[in-house]
Amino acid sequence: MTATCDSSPAAPRHPAPAALPAPSPSTSPPTSHPASPSARDRRDAAEPRVARVVAQHRGRWLVAPDDAPGERPRPAILAGAFRHASADAAEAHPVVGDRVVLAPAPPGAADPPGASGAAGAIARIRGVLPRRGTIRRRAASSETRAQLLAANVDVVLVTTPLGEPLNARRVERYATVAWDGGAVPVLVLTKSDACADPAGAVAAARAAVPGVDVVAVSAHTGDGLAALAAWLAPGRCAVLLGGSGAGKSTLANRLLGEARLRTGAVRADGAGRHTTIHRELVVLPGGALLVDTPGLRELGVWKGGDDPGAAALEATFADVAALADACRFADCAHEAEPGCAVRAAVGDGRLAAGRLAAWHRLVRELAHLARRQEPRAVARRQAHDRAMARALRAVVRTKRGG
């Protein structure tokens, strides 16, 4: 749908940012003064340190002190024992936002081929500390593998530019991924300077995706940045998610106060360019952490833990969940059951038909994913198929007189 202009913005529908969980305390040894690189190396040699992953490349990471993530990062690789122990578990490897334990290089050990920096400058990651706020999606071209995008995230800033049709279905997916990972989704309408009535666009977006707070911002004029800052308290970690050309890196540079991240102009046909090629964590002047990410072409939902996504769906579709309380049957699927209050709301216009169709689509997707992930379910389905094949063969033999 296209965001329309309305002179009176709707009231916020989301809890205040103050209700977010407190950031994890640092477990790094306190320091009384900034350490020079040589002093830092001596401290590393004395005991393991906790660091924050600020960038991720193929088989290589950049880490900074957990108590000072804004310091100049250093390259890191996986320690041998950790690399072998996590070889069969991709999610065990560090991602941007992770808090990791570093170990000093063994005495006399040389850096791997292609390593940059002075000898001994490469840190070794010996483990990943417990995560919270994990943002993951179903890996592209895979139904049974997850891709972890960022860890220890408090807020997911779903970016979409004003002036383009709002894809409510896509925002619902982003919101489900955020809620499922334990983070709070916020819809950020970028490039508000290109819209004649940003307040009306915000009201239209709130109506399209109830339950998700909406903020309109302009990286060029600074409009809306004060409202966005309420979600960027010191110590909080936010991640920018959205398609290419949504203005994620431009917004990050405005929040940083400098052009640190690469940006690119939108193509003549309006499509975005893939300027950002890796995920990177930066420290904002106010003390918040911000993760910039490449544009996502697709976002497959992923169920977290033992919950097949029901809690995340209920948070994303809070309006559907509220109506479902009045259904005649507690397990109503809102399809053809008698006494369905949700379908009644669609009939009288209180709930958009597209909203219910989107709910059904995600329910089916998560159920299919759960079946694919559950080995016992796979075994039961295969046994059922074999039994049906045997019964069919028996019927055919009977009809043939055999």
Side-chain angles (χ1 to χ4, degrees), residues 2-352:
T2 303
T4 58
C5 293
D6 187 349
S7 59
S8 58
R13 303 187 180 198
H14 202 77
L20 290 172
S24 297
S26 170
T27 58
S28 304
T31 56
S32 57
H33 57 83
S36 64
S38 59
R40 182 173 65 183
D41 290 341
R42 289 196 298 270
R43 184 170 59 184
D44 284 352
E47 61 181 0
R49 292 188 64 218
V50 174
R52 177 84 66 157
V53 176
V54 298
Q56 179 182 2
H57 305 278
R58 289 183 179 271
R60 189 68 55 86
W61 294 262
L62 290 178
V63 298
D66 187 46
D67 54 358
E71 284 191 10
R72 180 185 177 188
R74 61 188 304 182
I77 59 174
L78 300 183
F82 179 55
R83 183 175 65 252
H84 293 304
S86 60
D88 297 328
E91 281 205 24
H93 290 177
V95 297
V96 173
D98 262 328
R99 301 172 65 240
V100 297
V101 179
L102 302 182
D111 288 335
S116 59
I122 304 295
R124 268 70 177 175
I125 299 174
R126 60 186 292 182
V128 177
L129 294 179
R131 295 162 170 153
R132 60 174 178 80
T134 52
I135 306 305
R136 52 168 56 84
R137 66 169 178 172
R138 190 177 69 250
S141 304
S142 174
E143 290 186 337
T144 58
R145 185 172 62 86
Q147 179 189 13
L148 193 58
L149 301 178
N152 299 312
V153 172
D154 299 299
V155 181
V156 174
L157 302 178
V158 182
T159 57
T160 185
L162 275 173
E164 295 182 6
L166 177 66
N167 189 335
R169 306 293 82 87
R170 185 176 177 87
V171 175
E172 289 160 353
R173 283 182 170 272
Y174 279 106
T176 303
V177 167
W179 288 121
D180 190 57
V184 176
V186 178
L187 177 57
V188 181
L189 303 177
T190 60
K191 308 179 184 181
S192 65
D193 53 294
C195 178
D197 185 10
V202 168
R206 283 183 174 140
V209 283
V212 177
D213 200 10
V214 184
V215 180
V217 301
S218 170
H220 294 292
T221 66
D223 291 341
L225 294 183
L228 183 61
W231 296 97
L232 301 174
R236 307 291 182 193
C237 182
V239 60
L240 290 163
L241 294 183
S244 298
K248 298 185 297 296
S249 298
T250 302
L251 176 59
N253 283 337
R254 177 67 191 232
L255 294 171
L256 281 167
E258 59 177 306
R260 189 185 308 178
L261 304 176
R262 289 182 58 200
T263 61
V266 176
R267 290 181 353 208
D269 60 1
R273 301 178 187 269
H274 284 280
T275 305
T276 303
I277 59 175
H278 65 274
R279 293 179 285 277
E280 182 175 354
L281 182 147
V282 295
V283 181
L284 301 181
L289 307 179
L290 183 67
V291 179
D292 189 24
T293 65
L296 298 177
R297 291 188 179 92
E298 59 180 282
L299 188 72
V301 294
W302 185 261
K303 75 180 189 72
D306 297 327
D307 183 356
L313 278 181
E314 184 173 347
T316 301
F317 294 90
D319 49 346
V320 176
L323 291 168
D325 290 339
C327 288
R328 182 182 302 177
F329 303 105
D331 59 349
C332 182
H334 318 315
E335 291 179 337
E337 299 88 347
C340 177
V342 175
R343 286 190 297 109
V346 172
D348 61 25
R350 286 177 293 141
L351 180 68

